[in-house]
Amino acid sequence: MSQPILQVEHLKKYFPAGGRKVLRAVDDVSFSVQEGEILGIVGESGCGKTTCGRTAIGLYSKTDGVSLYRGEDVHRMRGAKRRAFCCQVQTVFQDPYASLDPKNKVIDLIAEGMDIHHLYTGPAERREKVMEQVGLNPSGIDRYPYEFSGGMRQRIGIARALAVEPRLLLCDEPISALDVSIQAQIVNLLLDLREQKSLTYLLISHDLSMVRHLSDRILVMYLGEVVEESTAQELYTHPLHPYTKALIAAIPIPDPKVERARPRSVLQGQVPSPVDPPPGCRFAGRCPYATDRCRTEKPELCDMGGGHRVACHLCR
Ligand code: SF4
């Protein structure tokens, strides 16, 4: 197999939590992303998926571990390598309302990265390059973000990321702030762009049905750790970890009759604090199969074959 575009090894990101305490947002996470692949990272709110993605691409400093972009340490790049990396790795943020400066016209928002990296020869080429970007008509680029709908604002956010011709996009909850009616348009746009521009995505979301639709492989995170990793197809047809099973069981079925009739499977119990996580399996307090061993011995992430990895004593 060729060198991954992104290789993350034992990555940790802790935040100070008062006194000597630390919040273990990302705790010893390893994964890789191949060129052209879409890797989804899923989990409930607060599981560490956004911090993991942002630390992996260097938006946050790391506490420990390493993240390599095409073999180069993301957190140690300097000079020309750093500038090239900043073009090649871009982010599409969750909230198109908050991520676009309302004082700037669309043309200036989209061209900001090109301005910084001097990617045009003059104003005409700058304008032409902005107009090449997704779904915007020529008159639209001289308007302000508030004049557009949520879906169009997210298109502007995507165009802004694409303007510097990246290879890897971190898509952080790219549709969760949008109306349901336009979510599918953005999902299809991301899929089309991946084909047209041979992009690689690191896709972060709590929306399992969207992640299933888009991803080649999926990581499931719980309380800062990876609990399961597999191809999207395998994960949804043969989930192994009790947490993954509960998440999949909670996906709504788009048929009101079937949805009403099926038994509810709701996760019980509270998510423990990432400041003071339990010593054994971090899911033990909510797991219906937990044993004494689970409460004292941490399950390792084991390869079950075909790249399907799971961290659960039940599966060994
Ligand atoms: Fe449940 Fe034990 Fe597996 Fe953790 S290790 S998920 S508590 S069965």
Side-chain angles (χ1 to χ4, degrees), residues 24-192:
R24 297 160 184 258
V26 178
D27 209 3
D28 202 0
V29 167
S30 300
F31 63 88
S32 62
V33 191
Q34 296 295 325
E35 192 101 39
E37 186 179 41
I38 302 182
L39 178 73
I41 304 182
V42 300
E44 293 167 293
S45 182
C47 70
K49 56 190 185 301
T50 291
T51 306
C52 181
R54 291 184 180 190
T55 309
I57 65 161
L59 290 182
Y60 294 160
S61 63
K62 66 181 179 181
T63 302
D64 201 1
V66 67
S67 180
L68 303 173
Y69 175 77
R70 292 187 164 148
E72 296 284 341
D73 188 333
V74 165
H75 294 93
R76 288 174 186 263
M77 280 182 202
R78 300 287 180 270
K81 273 187 186 160
R82 181 86 210 160
R83 286 192 292 279
F85 172 78
C86 290
C87 278
Q88 290 178 25
V89 180
Q90 289 284 310
T91 305
V92 174
F93 291 100
Q94 172 180 3
D95 187 351
Y97 299 89
S99 62
L100 300 173
D101 185 340
K103 298 192 295 299
N104 285 337
K105 289 181 177 176
V106 168
I107 183 170
D108 297 320
L109 289 167
I110 294 177
E112 189 179 4
M114 295 193 298
D115 296 343
I116 292 168
H117 297 286
H118 312 294
L119 299 181
Y120 53 84
T121 51
E125 191 185 351
R126 180 180 189 259
R127 190 173 181 84
E128 196 180 311
K129 282 194 162 187
V130 168
M131 292 210 311
E132 281 170 12
Q133 302 304 325
V134 282
L136 296 168
N137 62 43
S139 63
I141 64 171
D142 291 315
R143 291 158 62 188
Y144 291 90
Y146 69 81
E147 298 179 68
F148 293 89
S149 65
M152 272 312 291
R153 271 189 276 216
Q154 190 55 299
R155 282 176 183 266
I156 294 166
I158 293 169
R160 182 176 151 85
L162 293 178
V164 291
E165 299 181 7
R167 307 310 312 142
L168 172 66
L169 278 190
L170 172 69
C171 299
D172 185 1
E173 300 275 13
I175 63 167
S176 61
L178 304 177
D179 289 347
V180 173
S181 57
I182 47 176
Q183 288 182 348
Q185 291 174 21
I186 298 297
V187 166
N188 290 333
L189 173 65
L190 289 170
L191 282 172
D192 290 346

Side-chain angles (χ1 to χ4, degrees), residues 8 85 110 124 136 143 154 159 179 199 207 247 251 259 283 295 304 315:
V8 171
F85 172 78
I110 294 177
L136 296 168
R143 291 158 62 188
Q154 190 55 299
D179 289 347
L199 292 168
D207 181 343
L247 290 180
I251 298 175
E259 176 63 21
F283 189 57
R295 294 186 187 89
M304 309 302 288
C315 304

Side-chain angles (χ1 to χ4, degrees), residues 241-242 281 283-284 287 289-290 294 299 312-314:
H241 197 282
C281 173
F283 189 57
C287 179
Y289 312 106
C294 300
C312 175
H313 292 311
L314 272 189

